[in-house]
Amino acid sequence: GQQLNQSPQSMFIQEGEDVSMNCTSSSIFNTWLWYKQDPGEGPVLLIALYKAGELTSNGRLTAQFGITRKDSFLNISASIPSDVGIYFCAGLNYGGSQGNLIFGKGTKLSVKP
Amino acid sequence: DTEVTQTPKHLVMGMTNKKSLKCEQHMGHRAMYWYKQKAKKPPELMFVYSYEKLSINESVPSRFSPECPNSSLLNLHLHALQPEDSALYLCASSRQRVETGELFFGEGSRLTVL
């Protein structure tokens, strides 16, 4: 089946540093999404991307929908301690159902004050 | 604060028990989902309800039985579970079962099966 390769698996960074993570697939997706999950909570949608090449920002977060439709990246600028958590990319294809929402394995972010 | 409310937050049950997980949303969403999440893994889809009808069952064992009494409520009935069923069970909702991927998750119910 379809798989998403998310990297890195984990990151340990200093507060104030910028962060970059990405997701790749051998399959084309029509939508890319980025979710964040804090410990003990459910995932929260950060950014949704619907068009190849689209670059979208949400505060210090910026995400891009790759032009090939097979990848996406998420950047976090000037990280702060509350950025700690697990970031999941997710890809979706039209013409199917919500059952076609595929999650990456996650990137665990740790921020050192 | 999440607008999808799940109860209980924690549940411990034996393999012979019958229990239920509950989920509620008042955002007027017409699609609701159950996901299972093991530690350090992404959420795995179990069931999807659209307009109160079951539309997807991802080959989930019959010891898990979903129920959608109305458009705001979603239950997951548990019976004769196995220890490997211990996980975080997440409920989610979306406006409709359309292809946006924009899900609103609850905080989850952490289940331990002894």
Side-chain angles (χ1 to χ4, degrees):
Chain A
Q2 293 175 313
Q3 286 191 350
L4 296 184
N5 301 308
Q6 188 172 348
S7 65
Q9 212 170 14
S10 61
M11 302 181 76
F12 296 84
I13 61 167
Q14 198 78 30
E15 183 177 357
E17 287 182 358
D18 295 344
V19 171
S20 187
M21 59 190 79
N22 68 80
C23 222
T24 60
S25 173
S26 57
S27 304
I28 288 172
F29 288 98
N30 299 107
T31 300
W32 283 95
L33 307 109
W34 287 91
Y35 285 86
K36 182 194 177 199
Q37 187 171 23
D38 290 335
E41 299 188 11
V44 173
L45 180 64
L46 298 174
I47 292 180
L49 302 152
Y50 299 106
K51 199 171 164 185
E54 182 181 353
L55 185 72
T56 297
S57 292
N58 178 5
R60 294 178 296 106
L61 277 59
T62 302
Q64 184 156 30
F65 190 143
I67 199 74
T68 64
R69 294 164 63 193
K70 292 183 179 181
D71 61 346
S72 177
F73 72 74
L74 175 70
N75 285 344
I76 305 173
S77 62
S79 58
I80 58 178
S82 62
D83 290 333
V84 163
I86 302 178
Y87 292 78
F88 291 103
C89 63
L92 182 69
N93 280 325
Y94 296 150
S97 66
Q98 290 287 7
N100 287 343
L101 182 65
I102 310 294
F103 282 92
K105 292 186 176 177
T107 295
K108 184 176 180 181
L109 180 63
S110 302
V111 178
K112 196 173 172 184
Chain B
D1 287 339
T2 182
E3 295 184 71
V4 176
T5 304
Q6 290 188 242
T7 55
K9 208 162 165 61
H10 299 276
L11 178 63
V12 179
M13 60 187 289
M15 289 190 282
T16 57
N17 292 157
K18 281 187 184 181
K19 298 283 185 184
S20 296
L21 305 180
K22 296 183 184 301
C23 176
E24 192 167 358
Q25 59 87 14
H26 293 289
M27 295 179 281
H29 289 176
R30 304 315 300 263
M32 296 185 77
Y33 312 78
W34 281 115
Y35 280 85
K36 174 183 177 180
Q37 188 177 29
K38 299 285 261 185
K40 300 182 182 178
K41 299 285 186 187
E44 294 174 33
L45 183 66
M46 299 174 73
F47 303 104
V48 181
Y49 273 83
S50 177
Y51 288 86
E52 298 145 55
K53 291 197 180 344
L54 183 65
S55 60
I56 293 177
N57 175 342
E58 290 285 349
S59 304
V60 179
S62 59
R63 57 186 186 267
F64 295 91
S65 174
E67 179 196 18
C68 189
N70 59 57
S71 59
S72 300
L73 295 173
L74 186 66
N75 298 323
L76 186 63
H77 302 299
L78 314 170
H79 174 53
L81 295 193
Q82 304 295 312
E84 59 264 28
D85 296 321
S86 299
L88 182 68
Y89 288 84
L90 292 162
C91 174
S93 69
S94 64
R95 288 188 185 85
Q96 294 189 56
R97 205 207 76 178
V98 291
E99 294 82 358
T100 67
E102 295 183 20
L103 302 181
F104 290 76
F105 284 90
E107 293 187 344
S109 292
R110 185 159 299 283
L111 174 67
T112 303
V113 182
L114 301 177

